[in-house]
């Protein structure tokens, strides 16, 4: 059976292919200007000499020094990778990580070469997983590859050579794992992405450019992998456990992740879509899993990927800048989160935090846009979801004008319990780990008002405090009557 890390798999393209940076003092520094060009593994000595001279003349923290250090560490990493020694690759990756941190601090996080450095680091992490023959580590490296592809495309433009390289690296990595999992259709779609990146690189650069040659090698390796040509990529018997671990982490479909669930929750994007469109959307992206209380989207961040929730619940909250935060809403399995930044490429408007364990698909902005272009019903149903979210927000504003604090909390609680709650002995429970303060913040009130509002609800008998939960609703209809719904 096919498995990860053997044979001649698609290599990640690692290196800085941007034009050389101008040198501050050409007379003193000499040949430093050419040192940032991609080099052969036998030419690291020239890079080392250039780095020493540049650091002596311009300083260890000068941007030019940072770029030279990055190129040297990239060259050393490629040598270690080609030799296949795990210890040397691990050490080279640590040096590359340090050089990347220095470059980001020196150049700024959005500088083109800082973006390239972060993309190279993500690719190197994936290469280490391959050297170790660990599909599990490879899957953990995919979110970084996705983030790198998003950032470079957003900041440099989708047709910039390094954006093309980052896209190809992501697609080739996903293709290799899709081939491992036996998802042939997804692997074939990813091969089209790799081929497109190769053609775009030829259009943007000359045929003999190092980046073009590297992408062509990557494309041929991907084609060989899917055609079954070339060396047998099977694991040796001693490494079979890695393949088993990788397969056990894969989330193949919602039917596997949500065993026994006949359908997706009403009103979610997955529930609205036609079956063919739903299956195509589920086939996109990378399966990821998060522990409770993890921030998977951060307010004001500039990344643009989205999460399709497959199992679990997340809460969406905003920070006012002074340290106070308020929960806006919750999202459940079948919902898409992060779509606003994906559509307008503006900073994130809110933070998304997991409520318990969450399984999701991480989908790039480019993948989502492609899906919406191909599937008209996907575009229409996403607009429907956004319309529902806007109406929810408008109801909260209207409640603020015409209802008491206790009534506003009761209206929020009744809607959430009606949509997501479950009936147990003693009444209805929300089933989502939200505190009383968080529930009240959805209704637009501050913590000091929340306790009084819940005291009024307890006096009215529509809410009961419970040691194991924040609230229990003994009679849902009574709660609705209290809320004037």
């Amino acid at each position: 059976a096919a498995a990860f890390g053997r044979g001649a798999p698609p290599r990640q393209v690692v290196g800085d292919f941007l034009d050389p940076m101008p040198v501050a003092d050409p007379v003193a520094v000499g040949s430093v200007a050419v040192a940032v060009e991609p080099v052969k593994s036998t030419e690291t000595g020239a890079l080392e000499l250039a780095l020493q001279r540049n650091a002596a003349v311009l300083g260890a923290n000068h941007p030019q020094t940072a770029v030279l250090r990055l190129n040297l560490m990239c060259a050393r990493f490629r040598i270690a990778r080609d030799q296949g020694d795990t210890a040397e690759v691990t050490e080279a990756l640590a040096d590359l990580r340090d050089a990347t941190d220095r470059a980001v601090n020196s150049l700024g996080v959005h500088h083109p070469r800082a973006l390239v450095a972060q993309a190279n680091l993500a690719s190197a992490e994936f290469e280490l997983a391959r050297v170790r023959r660990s599909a599990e580590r490879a899957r953990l490296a995919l979110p970084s590859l996705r983030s790198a592809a998003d950032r470079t495309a957003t900041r440099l433009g989708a047709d910039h050579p390094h954006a093309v390289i980052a896209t190809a690296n992501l697609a080739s990595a996903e293709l290799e794992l899709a081939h491992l999992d036996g998802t042939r259709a997804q692997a074939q779609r990813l091969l089209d992405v790799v081929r497109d990146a190769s053609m775009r690189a030829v259009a943007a650069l000359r045929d003999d450019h190092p980046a073009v040659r590297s992408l062509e090698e990557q494309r041929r390796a991907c084609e060989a992998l899917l055609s079954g040509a070339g060396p047998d990529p099977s694991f040796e018997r001693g490494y079979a456990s890695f393949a088993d671990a990788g397969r056990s982490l894969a989330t193949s479909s919602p039917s596997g992740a949500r065993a026994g669930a006949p359908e997706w929750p009403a009103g979610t994007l997955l529930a609205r879509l036609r079956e063919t469109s739903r299956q195509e959307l589920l086939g996109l992206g990378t399966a990821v899993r998060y522990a409770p209380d993890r921030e998977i989207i951060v307010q004001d961040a500039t990344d643009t990927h989205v999460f399709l929730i497959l199992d679990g619940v997340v809460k969406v909250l905003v920070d006012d800048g002074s340290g106070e935060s308020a929960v806006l809403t919750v999202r459940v399995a079948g919902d898409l989160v992060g779509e606003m930044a994906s559509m307008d490429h503006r900073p994130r408007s809110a933070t998304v935090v997991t409520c318990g364990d969450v399984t999701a698909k991480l989908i790039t902005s480019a993948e989502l846009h492609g899906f919406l272009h191909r599937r008209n019903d996907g575009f229409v149903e996403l607009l429907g979801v956004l319309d529902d979210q806007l109406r929810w927000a408008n109801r909260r504003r209207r409640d603020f004008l015409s209802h008491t604090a206790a009534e506003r909390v009761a209206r929020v609680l009744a809607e959430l319990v009606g949509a997501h709650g479950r009936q147990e002995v003693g009444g209805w429970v929300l089933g989502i780990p939200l505190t009383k303060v968080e529930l009240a913040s959805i209704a637009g009130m501050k913590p000091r008002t929340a306790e009084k509002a819940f005291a009024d609800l307890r006096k009215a008998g529509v809410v009961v405090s419970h040691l194991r939960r924040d609230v229990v609703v003994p009679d849902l209809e009574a709660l609705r009557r209290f809320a004037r719904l």
Side-chain angles (χ1 to χ4, degrees):
F4 187 78
R6 292 288 293 169
R11 282 275 173 82
Q12 296 280 291
V13 179
V14 178
D16 186 348
F17 300 101
L18 296 174
D19 292 333
M21 288 182 68
V23 181
D25 186 355
V27 175
V29 182
S31 62
V32 173
V34 301
V36 296
E37 293 283 2
V39 297
K40 298 179 181 178
S41 60
T42 55
E43 297 175 358
T44 55
L47 275 175
E48 291 173 355
L49 177 60
L51 176 60
Q52 292 172 4
R53 296 173 66 183
N54 205 85
V57 174
L58 301 177
N61 297 320
H62 190 276
Q64 180 73 23
T65 308
V67 173
L68 283 168
R69 185 181 294 108
L70 278 171
N71 278 268
L72 174 60
M73 297 312 165
C74 278
R76 287 179 174 173
F77 179 83
R78 289 196 301 269
I79 294 170
R81 176 193 66 182
D82 294 344
Q83 292 174 345
D85 183 273
T86 303
E88 291 184 5
V89 173
T90 303
E91 183 179 352
L93 178 60
D95 291 340
L96 182 58
R97 187 178 293 113
D98 176 69
T100 301
D101 290 342
R102 292 192 187 194
V104 170
N105 290 334
S106 177
L107 301 169
V109 68
H110 298 310
H111 189 281
R113 279 198 156 79
L115 295 172
V116 171
Q118 294 169 82
N120 278 332
L121 182 60
S123 293
E125 295 277 5
F126 189 87
E127 290 288 356
L128 176 60
R130 181 184 287 117
V131 171
R132 290 184 172 178
R133 302 176 188 174
S134 171
E136 178 180 353
R137 288 184 66 94
R139 294 184 199 283
L140 293 175
L142 284 180
S144 295
L145 284 168
R146 287 184 173 279
S147 180
D150 270 353
R151 282 197 304 266
T152 52
T154 300
R155 292 287 172 176
L156 303 180
D159 293 324
H160 189 281
H162 265 288
V164 173
I165 292 171
T167 299
N169 279 341
L170 171 62
S172 67
E174 290 181 322
L175 180 149
E176 193 172 352
L177 290 170
H179 175 70
L180 170 65
D181 296 334
T183 51
R184 177 81 183 176
Q186 183 177 0
Q188 202 63 46
R189 286 197 299 270
L190 292 165
L191 178 59
D192 291 338
V193 176
V194 174
R195 286 169 171 164
D196 177 68
S198 180
M199 290 187 292
R200 287 163 61 194
V202 172
L205 304 165
R206 63 184 186 273
D207 289 347
D208 62 343
H209 192 281
V212 172
R213 293 198 300 269
S214 296
L215 289 173
E216 278 293 293
E217 291 174 4
Q218 186 184 70
R219 176 188 61 78
R220 288 193 294 270
C222 288
E223 291 173 342
L225 187 66
L226 294 193
S227 68
D232 179 11
S234 300
F235 268 122
E236 294 176 346
R237 185 170 300 176
Y239 293 102
S241 60
F242 287 115
D244 295 338
R247 276 190 287 272
S248 69
L249 284 175
T251 301
S252 58
S253 70
S255 60
R258 295 167 43 82
E263 59 185 14
W264 297 95
T268 63
L269 179 60
L270 287 179
R272 292 167 175 262
L273 291 174
R274 294 197 299 261
E275 181 62 22
T276 53
S277 298
R278 178 164 50 243
Q279 292 305 319
E280 181 175 342
L281 181 58
L282 286 166
L284 300 179
T286 302
V288 290
R289 295 178 181 178
Y290 294 101
D293 300 318
R294 285 284 304 276
E295 291 185 348
I296 62 174
I297 290 176
V298 179
Q299 183 177 328
D300 296 326
T302 57
D303 47 22
T304 58
H305 55 268
V306 301
F307 289 97
L308 179 64
I309 308 299
L310 301 181
D311 195 33
V313 180
V314 298
K315 57 187 175 184
V316 182
L317 53 90
V318 292
D319 192 321
D320 66 359
S322 66
E324 290 194 22
S325 62
V327 177
L328 299 181
T329 187
V330 295
R331 295 284 179 261
V332 298
D335 278 326
L336 196 69
V337 292
E339 70 281 355
M340 289 177 59
S342 179
M343 301 302 290
D344 62 19
H345 288 264
R346 296 170 64 183
R348 299 285 191 184
S349 60
T351 294
V352 178
V353 180
T354 57
C355 299
D357 294 325
V358 168
T359 302
K361 278 295 191 74
L362 191 158
I363 301 173
T364 65
S365 176
E367 287 177 313
L368 178 62
H369 289 187
F371 169 78
L372 295 177
H373 279 295
R374 291 189 302 272
R375 296 287 184 176
N376 290 336
D377 67 311
F379 182 78
V380 171
E381 297 303 345
L382 180 58
L383 286 179
V385 170
L386 294 175
D387 177 70
D388 285 350
Q389 294 171 6
L390 179 59
R391 289 178 180 275
W392 163 276
N394 285 342
R395 286 198 297 275
R396 302 290 75 80
R397 296 187 183 97
R398 186 179 60 200
D399 292 350
F400 192 84
L401 296 174
S402 55
H403 293 274
T404 66
E407 289 174 344
R408 280 154 45 204
V409 173
R411 292 171 77 86
V412 168
L413 186 57
E415 285 197 44
L416 290 177
V417 170
H420 312 299
R422 64 180 184 274
Q423 193 167 16
E424 296 184 356
V425 176
W428 287 83
V429 297
L430 178 56
I432 300 174
L434 294 174
T435 67
K436 292 192 288 290
V437 170
E438 289 174 331
L439 283 167
S441 70
I442 298 176
M445 63 187 65
K446 291 186 179 270
R448 59 178 174 272
T449 313
E451 196 56 52
K452 182 182 184 304
F454 273 98
D456 291 342
L457 292 175
R458 287 193 295 271
K459 289 178 184 177
V462 294
V463 161
V464 177
S465 295
H466 197 287
L467 291 177
R468 293 188 298 110
R469 292 181 281 265
D470 292 310
V471 292
V472 175
V473 178
D475 186 337
L476 186 55
E477 287 304 316
L479 178 66
R480 287 176 175 147
R481 288 193 298 271
F482 180 92
R484 292 192 282 158
L485 283 173

